[in-house]
């Protein structure tokens, strides 16, 4: 299994600012993904974080709004740019372990509130 | 792309009864179907999964069935207990390719003692 840590665990942000969420994995993962979970909703995939190259974004998500980095196999960041109240959500980092069984491990999530 | 539908959105059962949650998927290339349990304020955790070459899998009180032809799969929980109360998500992915999981809309299961 993989242990995934995220920080911050929560934050309150002002409209128009940007916040970067960091994700650290205790062991190498083959793939990393970022999800958004709005209150009471399902998990929506934002993008696949690709090591050393640009992330692959899902429909409805763009790099200018959600820039993602993954400089190595165990670390990734997600920035939420120019935030508005609609960005208030939980952002979850996840990874598929090296055993590549398909099991996706999640971080504890970063709860952002935008005022 | 893949689309996963899940129902019911809420399910209330008496302790000891069985619970069934159903999902359908759209992409016939999907070959991996996990179920996640998310307790309030916690991260989602895998409880059981099934691959497309298997029709049924069981782990103690939980089981999952898959019908590839109809593109649907179901979670079965028997002898429910209050600690089974949580939100359950089904998901689908193309394992070995993108590996990205697309989740269903979730089912809030309440087990009444």
């Amino acid at each position: 299994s993989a242990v995934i840590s995220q920080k911050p665990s929560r934050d309150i942000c002002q409209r128009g600012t940007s916040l970067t969420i960091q994700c650290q994995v205790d062991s190498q993962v083959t793939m990393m993904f970022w999800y958004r979970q709005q209150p009471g909703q399902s998990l929506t995939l934002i993008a696949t974080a690709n090591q050393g190259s640009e992330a692959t974004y899902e429909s409805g998500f763009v790099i200018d709004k959600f820039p993602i980095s993954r400089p190595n196999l165990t670390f990734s960041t997600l920035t939420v740019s120019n935030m508005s109240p609609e960005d208030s959500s939980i952002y979850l980092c996840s990874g598929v372990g090296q055993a590549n069984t398909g099991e996706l491990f999640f971080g504890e999530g970063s709860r952002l509130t935008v005022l | 792309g893949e689309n996963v539908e899940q129902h019911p959105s809420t399910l209330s059962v008496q302790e000891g009864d069985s619970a069934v949650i159903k999902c359908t998927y759209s992409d016939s290339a999907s070959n991996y179907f996990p179920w996640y349990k998310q307790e309030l304020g916690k991260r989602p955790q895998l409880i059981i999964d099934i691959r497309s070459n298997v029709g049924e899998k069981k782990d103690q009180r939980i089981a999952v069935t898959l019908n590839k032809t109809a593109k649907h799969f179901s979670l079965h929980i028997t002898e429910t207990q209050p600690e089974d109360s949580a939100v359950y998500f089904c998901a689908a992915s193309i394992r070995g390719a993108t590996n990205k999981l697309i989740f269903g809309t979730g089912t809030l299961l309440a087990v009444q003692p």
Side-chain angles (χ1 to χ4, degrees):
Chain A
S1 64
V3 177
I4 301 180
S5 303
Q6 285 182 238
K7 59 180 181 181
S9 58
R10 59 179 62 228
D11 208 340
I12 299 174
C13 310
Q14 296 299 317
R15 183 194 300 260
T17 63
S18 299
L19 183 80
T20 296
I21 302 166
Q22 297 182 5
C23 176
Q24 180 72 53
V25 188
D26 69 335
S27 58
Q28 293 182 352
V29 291
T30 55
M31 303 188 74
M32 293 181 75
F33 305 93
W34 286 94
Y35 284 84
R36 181 173 73 183
Q37 187 173 30
Q38 295 178 310
Q41 302 296 313
S42 184
L43 295 93
T44 302
L45 181 62
I46 298 172
T48 303
N50 299 309
Q51 184 198 356
S53 65
E54 189 172 296
T56 305
Y57 290 85
E58 297 298 307
S59 176
F61 298 95
V62 295
I63 188 171
D64 289 348
K65 177 66 176 178
F66 298 101
I68 289 170
S69 77
R70 188 183 175 190
N72 56 54
L73 286 173
T74 62
F75 185 77
S76 179
T77 66
L78 165 73
T79 299
V80 186
S81 302
N82 188 24
M83 287 185 284
S84 67
E86 293 72 37
D87 295 319
S88 297
S89 190
I90 298 173
Y91 293 86
L92 292 133
C93 174
S94 62
V96 178
Q98 277 221 312
N100 204 18
T101 59
E103 180 175 358
L104 196 62
F105 297 94
F106 285 91
E108 64 269 34
S110 298
R111 181 185 293 270
L112 302 187
T113 301
V114 184
L115 303 179
Chain B
E2 177 65 276
N3 182 52
V4 180
E5 296 187 356
Q6 181 174 348
H7 61 94
S9 57
T10 61
L11 179 60
S12 181
V13 300
Q14 291 295 122
E15 183 176 358
D17 287 350
S18 295
V20 181
I21 303 170
K22 299 182 179 181
C23 289
T24 59
Y25 61 98
S26 62
D27 191 341
S28 57
S30 291
N31 57 13
Y32 175 65
F33 307 93
W35 286 87
Y36 282 78
K37 177 182 181 182
Q38 187 176 33
E39 297 176 346
L40 187 64
K42 303 280 186 66
R43 74 190 78 190
Q45 294 200 304
L46 179 72
I47 55 170
I48 196 168
D49 57 14
I50 192 168
R51 287 164 172 73
S52 58
N53 59 347
V54 176
E56 183 173 358
K57 182 177 179 181
K58 189 174 182 180
D59 183 3
Q60 300 183 347
R61 295 187 297 109
I62 59 174
V64 57
T65 59
L66 171 65
N67 183 327
K68 282 171 49 180
T69 303
K71 289 191 280 188
H72 67 70
F73 55 114
S74 300
L75 176 71
H76 304 253
I77 306 174
T78 59
E79 301 173 29
T80 53
Q81 302 167 2
E83 51 264 39
D84 294 329
S85 297
V87 178
Y88 292 81
F89 293 101
C90 62
S93 78
I94 306 174
R95 179 172 167 267
T98 65
N99 282 321
K100 61 183 184 182
L101 278 180
I102 303 302
F103 284 84
T105 48
T107 297
L108 174 60
L109 173 64
V111 180
Q112 309 297 332

